[in-house]
């Protein structure tokens, strides 16, 4: 479900209730032991306690007609895999994607550090693959967690001269939690001091045993810089995707997830959406979290204007009334009026939930924490 009581939440975290209540107060929520809190609130409190939590994959979006729509997923067709690249800071995630795309994103990044999720689709032998880049810096845990939620496959990048580091371990945990297949790219094999076997050894400490050592973890040695091993890696990605039998109905109303968003001075709210079901078209009306809009313009990952996008394709869109939050789900609805009505209803629901949390809990709080 969408809500959890403070007590259940504390139990899940393995923390004393009083500590969780304190963390909630610090994030501005007065909640008692039996108070129900939503995921966003829980996430803030968990962050305060330095614990990462991840929303379950099939989380209900709260749209009443969504269940019915899901039944309409009848014409299932093969769709491109969504592959997220994860790993410790500076281990070469963006460089690897640059090598795959034959582009140079790394050079344009501030301080060489990725601060957002980049989304790209490439075509190999007529097969599309969508890649999401994620930041390795420790500050971006929530972004990595989001990446792990929408992805079909993870490429875990481990620098062969550095081995498994804290954010490598974090990424492994995200994959396990989301139950996503993982391919390990052992990168920087061109560097002096690179030790492929040492990386494989360290992986075993996380229960990941390389195929060549009798396990089932695919490890591909690569050099993003020298562009070595890239074809092998892509072959493994396509093979894994084949096994997963990824399918979607492209003939239904579009639905998917906000990858990133911003307020552009000239263009207004801009959002990068990953279409997961159906086809999104210019002119469609969508509900996104508690905002909405009618798509005025749509661009592909190369900034080219496009008119429609099917499953697994990332697009940038204009036309939303407000900036949505990364991680928000979006759904196409009948028309803009419907979208606005549903967005307003959600806003009212959110507000009243916040208020009832404030009211009930003050007494609750004093009776519980003493
Ligand atoms: P964050 O996004 O900040 O987490 O970093 P990242 O994992 O995307 O690393 P990035 O691709 O920015 O690369 C970090 C540094 O490692 C850069 O200076 C790259 O040139 C270098 N690098 C990446 N791959 C290789 C490689 O295969 N060999 C060598 N020698 N250097 C590499
Ligand atoms: Mg990067």
């Amino acid at each position: 479900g969408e809500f959890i009581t403070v007590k259940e939440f504390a139990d899940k975290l393995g923390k004393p209730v009083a500590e969780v209540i304190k963390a909630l107060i610090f994030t501005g929520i007065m909640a008692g032991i039996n108070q129900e809190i939503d995921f966003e609130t829980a996430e803030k409190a968990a962050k305060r306690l330095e614990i990462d939590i991840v929303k379950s994959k099939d989380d209900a979006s709260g749209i009443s007609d969504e269940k019915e729509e899901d039944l309409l997923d009848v014409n299932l067709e093969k769709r491109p895999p969504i592959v997220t690249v994860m790993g410790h800071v500076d281990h070469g995630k963006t460089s690897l994607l640059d090598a795959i795309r034959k582009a140079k994103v790394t050079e344009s990044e501030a301080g060489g550090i990725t601060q957002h999720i980049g989304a790209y689709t490439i075509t190999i032998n007529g097969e599309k693959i969508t890649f999401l880049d994620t930041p390795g810096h420790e500050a971006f845990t929530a972004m990595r967690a989001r990446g792990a939620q929408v992805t079909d496959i993870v490429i875990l990048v481990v620098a062969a001269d550095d081995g498994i580091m804290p954010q490598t371990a974090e990424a492994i945990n995200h994959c396990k939690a989301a139950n996503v297949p993982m391919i390990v790219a052992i990168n920087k094999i061109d560097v002096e001091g690179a030790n492929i076997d040492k990386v494989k050894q360290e992986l075993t400490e996380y229960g990941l045993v390389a195929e060549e050592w009798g396990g089932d973890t695919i490890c591909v040695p690569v050099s993003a810089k020298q562009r070595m091993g890239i074809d092998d890696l892509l072959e493994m990605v396509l093979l894994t995707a084949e096994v997963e039998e990824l399918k979607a109905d492209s003939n239904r109303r579009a639905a998917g997830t906000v990858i990133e968003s911003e307020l552009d001075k000239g263009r207004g709210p801009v959002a990068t959406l990953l279409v997961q079901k159906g086809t999104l078209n210019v002119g469609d009306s969508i509900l996104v979290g508690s905002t909405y809009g009618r798509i005025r313009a749509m661009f592909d990952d190369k900034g080219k204007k496009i008119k429609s996008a099917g499953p697994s394709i990332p697009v940038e869109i204009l036309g939303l009334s407000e900036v949505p939050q990364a991680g928000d789900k979006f759904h196409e609805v009948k028309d803009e009026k419907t979208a606005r009505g549903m967005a307003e209803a959600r806003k009212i629901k959110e507000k009243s939930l916040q208020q009832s949390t404030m009211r009930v809990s003050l007494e609750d709080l004093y009776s519980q924490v003493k």
Side-chain angles (χ1 to χ4, degrees):
E2 180 121 46
F3 292 88
I4 184 171
T5 67
V6 170
K7 169 85 173 66
E8 289 166 347
F9 181 50
D11 287 348
K12 282 207 172 179
L13 294 181
K15 292 270 177 194
V17 175
E19 216 178 305
V20 171
I21 289 177
K22 247 190 252 163
L24 282 163
I25 292 173
F26 271 111
T27 61
I29 308 279
M30 302 288 243
I33 187 161
N34 293 316
Q35 188 71 44
E36 285 193 324
I37 53 171
D38 63 10
F39 179 82
E40 278 68 34
T41 307
E43 190 176 41
K44 278 187 206 144
K47 202 170 192 180
R48 179 87 206 172
L49 296 165
E50 298 184 328
I51 297 171
D52 295 331
I53 60 170
V54 178
K55 210 171 188 175
S56 76
K57 215 169 185 174
D58 49 16
D59 175 68
S61 72
I63 300 184
S64 55
D65 61 355
E66 201 204 357
K67 279 239 155 60
E68 276 167 47
E69 276 193 36
D70 274 345
L71 296 175
L72 300 177
D73 278 0
V74 279
N75 300 307
L76 293 179
E77 304 155 49
K78 193 174 166 185
R79 65 169 175 86
I82 299 164
V83 181
T84 302
V85 182
M86 298 187 137
H88 197 72
V89 66
D90 271 356
H91 278 200
K93 297 173 291 296
T94 305
S95 302
L96 186 62
L97 276 177
D98 283 355
I100 290 169
R101 297 164 60 225
K102 303 186 176 75
K104 284 188 177 168
V105 171
T106 18
E107 287 176 8
S108 62
E109 287 179 341
I113 287 189
T114 304
Q115 305 203 17
H116 64 115
I117 294 187
Y120 320 97
T121 304
I122 62 153
T123 307
I124 300 159
N125 306 331
E127 305 256 18
K128 281 191 172 131
I129 306 177
T130 291
F131 286 99
L132 303 180
D133 191 6
T134 62
H137 190 279
E138 58 183 335
F140 301 112
T141 299
M143 241 179 255
R144 286 187 294 273
R146 279 201 295 276
Q149 280 170 65
V150 296
T151 201
D152 301 306
I153 298 168
V154 163
I155 294 180
L156 181 72
V157 177
V158 188
D161 60 342
D162 206 20
I164 295 190
M165 299 301 280
Q167 271 63 54
T168 323
E170 188 202 286
I172 293 172
N173 290 334
H174 283 317
C175 286
K176 284 185 178 166
N179 201 13
V180 175
M182 196 168 72
I183 297 169
V184 182
I186 303 178
N187 189 33
K188 305 200 187 186
I189 54 168
D190 60 296
V191 173
E192 209 179 283
N195 190 338
I196 297 173
D197 278 351
K198 188 162 167 271
V199 173
K200 288 181 185 167
Q201 182 59 49
E202 289 173 356
L203 285 170
T204 63
E205 288 162 30
Y206 294 84
L208 304 170
V209 180
E211 274 189 327
E212 49 283 6
W213 287 10
D216 55 11
T217 301
I218 300 170
C219 295
V220 187
V222 298
S223 164
K225 201 168 196 173
Q226 311 280 345
R227 306 206 163 170
M228 284 156 56
I230 306 297
D231 290 344
D232 292 343
L233 181 65
L234 292 175
E235 193 179 320
M236 288 307 160
V237 169
L238 288 173
L239 270 175
T240 307
E242 203 66 48
V243 173
E244 296 289 303
E245 293 189 50
L246 305 165
K247 292 194 168 111
D249 181 353
S250 58
N251 287 316
R252 49 161 279 162
R253 281 184 190 164
T257 304
V258 178
I259 298 296
E260 42 192 10
S261 58
E262 61 168 3
L263 185 62
D264 184 286
K265 263 192 197 146
R267 304 189 296 168
V270 180
T272 303
L273 307 180
L274 181 64
V275 180
Q276 290 171 287
K277 293 172 169 186
T279 299
L280 192 65
N281 300 292
V282 170
D284 284 350
S285 296
I286 56 173
L287 174 68
V288 192
S290 53
T291 185
Y292 72 97
R294 190 161 170 271
I295 298 176
R296 202 167 73 222
M298 192 151 81
F299 306 89
D300 70 8
D301 55 356
K302 285 151 204 98
K304 203 181 104 198
K305 252 192 166 164
I306 52 170
K307 289 212 165 79
S308 67
S312 300
I313 303 299
V315 286
E316 194 178 79
I317 60 144
L318 304 182
L320 294 178
S321 61
E322 286 167 58
V323 181
Q325 283 185 21
D328 277 352
K329 302 279 176 211
F330 78 84
H331 293 265
E332 181 186 344
V333 293
K334 198 169 59 187
D335 51 33
E336 197 173 7
K337 198 172 149 224
T338 310
R340 187 186 335 134
M342 287 172 106
E344 275 164 11
R346 278 188 175 183
K347 275 214 179 102
I348 291 166
K349 196 176 140 201
E350 273 173 18
K351 258 214 188 104
S352 73
L353 269 172
Q354 276 168 8
Q355 281 168 358
S356 68
T357 307
M358 290 301 267
R359 231 182 305 122
V360 181
S361 50
L362 271 174
E363 300 158 26
D364 232 16
L365 184 71
Y366 288 116
S367 62
Q368 302 296 343
V369 195
K370 259 175 196 166

